[in-house]
Amino acid sequence: MRQVAWSAYDDASESFFQTYESLRFSTTHRSFLRFLPAQGARCLDVGAGSGRDASALAARGYRVTAVEPSRGLRVLAMAKHRQVNIRWIDDALPNLDKVKILGEAFDFVLLSAVWMHIEPKDRLPSLQTLKQLLDPHGSIALTLRIGDPPANRPMYPINVDEFIAQAASAGLKTVYQSRKSEDSLKRMDVRWIKLVLQPQSVTKRRDNAVSERNLGRNQASSRALKYSVIDNEVKNVAPPQIAPSPAPAKDVRF
């Protein structure tokens, strides 16, 4: 991501900070809550902005790495959100070199209102970087902006189908896609689509496990039906007819 992409956030950092802090994590990202990992897991917030989401994740007991390339936003965020389980890093996609140096795998990766700033040529490398940093059982949650860019911030159009195809080529499967939703800041010309990605190898294993469970249930149902049919057949067989015993012969006396 080029520096010009976040220079606008440096120029008006206080204004952006107040705007982002006016929203709540649990409302803005309600559809992502069921994908959050167990308490104590590692979370990566790429493009952490005001620190609102990083702080919310930290409050839930996660160890959070917050990445924000805008110095203005980062300074304000660090001053307000002082939890000891948030680590702030000045880094950016597509490489996230400083994050890679940590040598950690993350259970949950969040990119909220970030992808429109990634140049098209950097999008596949960015997805490959995210896949590299993701735990094999982790999830990547993204919000994709649909709408014309403002004049003061560089943004690039997003084609959702193209994004899903690029994610697949990076080894990531889309496991959740929302409908277009209204903008939380009430901008009439902006809509959002939320997506969750997971490593393809894990989703294949989960799909296979589900198939095996369903197969087991079907086989059990078939056996139960078979025995039920046999039982009914036994019940419907007429009992054998037993001939009555002949009457005892009477004594005939002459």
Side-chain angles (χ1 to χ4, degrees):
M1 190 162 64
R2 294 181 302 170
Q3 185 170 355
V4 68
W6 63 84
S7 59
Y9 295 99
D10 281 330
D11 296 339
S13 55
E14 182 65 40
S15 175
F16 284 114
F17 180 84
Q18 296 299 333
T19 298
Y20 298 153
E21 287 294 300
S22 69
L23 303 175
R24 292 176 58 85
F25 172 86
S26 58
T27 302
T28 304
H29 300 311
R30 183 184 298 110
S31 56
F32 293 153
L33 297 180
R34 61 192 171 101
F35 294 99
L36 291 176
Q39 193 175 40
R42 289 188 176 93
C43 295
L44 176 64
D45 186 3
V46 180
S50 69
R52 176 200 67 208
D53 297 340
S55 178
L57 291 169
R60 283 168 166 77
Y62 299 118
R63 291 170 288 172
V64 181
T65 298
V67 174
E68 178 50 56
S70 165
R71 184 180 182 278
L73 277 176
R74 193 173 63 253
V75 168
L76 291 170
M78 293 174 67
K80 178 168 183 177
H81 303 294
R82 298 174 176 271
Q83 292 104 312
V84 294
N85 51 335
I86 302 179
R87 170 176 51 193
W88 287 91
I89 296 180
D90 175 11
D91 207 352
L93 288 167
N95 298 322
L96 292 177
D97 289 325
K98 295 178 184 177
V99 178
K100 288 178 181 177
I101 290 174
L102 301 175
E104 297 178 356
F106 296 92
D107 303 287
F108 184 79
V109 180
L110 177 65
L111 291 89
S112 179
V114 170
W115 201 251
M116 68 278 194
H117 293 307
I118 308 297
E119 292 184 70
K121 69 179 181 62
D122 290 333
R123 286 178 173 172
L124 180 56
S126 294
L127 286 165
Q128 292 168 337
T129 293
L130 296 171
K131 169 67 160 47
Q132 179 183 343
L133 293 168
L134 187 65
D135 181 87
H137 296 277
S139 300
I140 302 171
L142 307 94
T143 63
L144 305 184
R145 186 185 193 275
I146 310 299
D148 294 331
N152 62 336
R153 285 182 288 167
M155 296 181 186
Y156 305 92
I158 297 174
N159 181 293
V160 178
D161 292 334
E162 182 181 89
F163 173 86
I164 292 173
Q166 282 189 327
S169 68
L172 295 165
K173 180 179 179 179
T174 301
V175 297
Y176 171 77
Q177 177 180 345
S178 73
R179 299 177 180 177
K180 285 184 182 179
S181 60
E182 294 183 358
D183 180 57
S184 298
L185 298 175
K186 309 301 182 184
R187 292 170 293 192
M188 299 305 297
D189 58 339
V190 177
R191 293 292 183 270
W192 297 90
I193 291 179
K194 297 180 173 69
L195 295 172
V196 176
L197 311 176
Q198 292 176 348
Q200 287 179 343
S201 57
V202 173
T203 53
K204 283 181 180 178
R205 287 199 295 271
R206 287 174 180 166
D207 290 344
N208 290 339
V210 170
S211 297
E212 290 174 1
R213 286 197 298 271
N214 290 337
L215 178 61
R217 292 192 188 103
N218 291 338
Q219 289 175 339
S221 297
S222 297
R223 287 195 297 269
L225 178 60
K226 176 182 176 182
Y227 293 137
S228 176
V229 170
I230 293 174
D231 188 45
N232 287 334
E233 288 177 349
V234 170
K235 290 178 180 176
N236 292 330
V237 171
Q241 298 297 320
I242 301 175
S245 302
K250 296 181 179 179
D251 281 341
V252 179
R253 298 184 181 180
F254 297 96

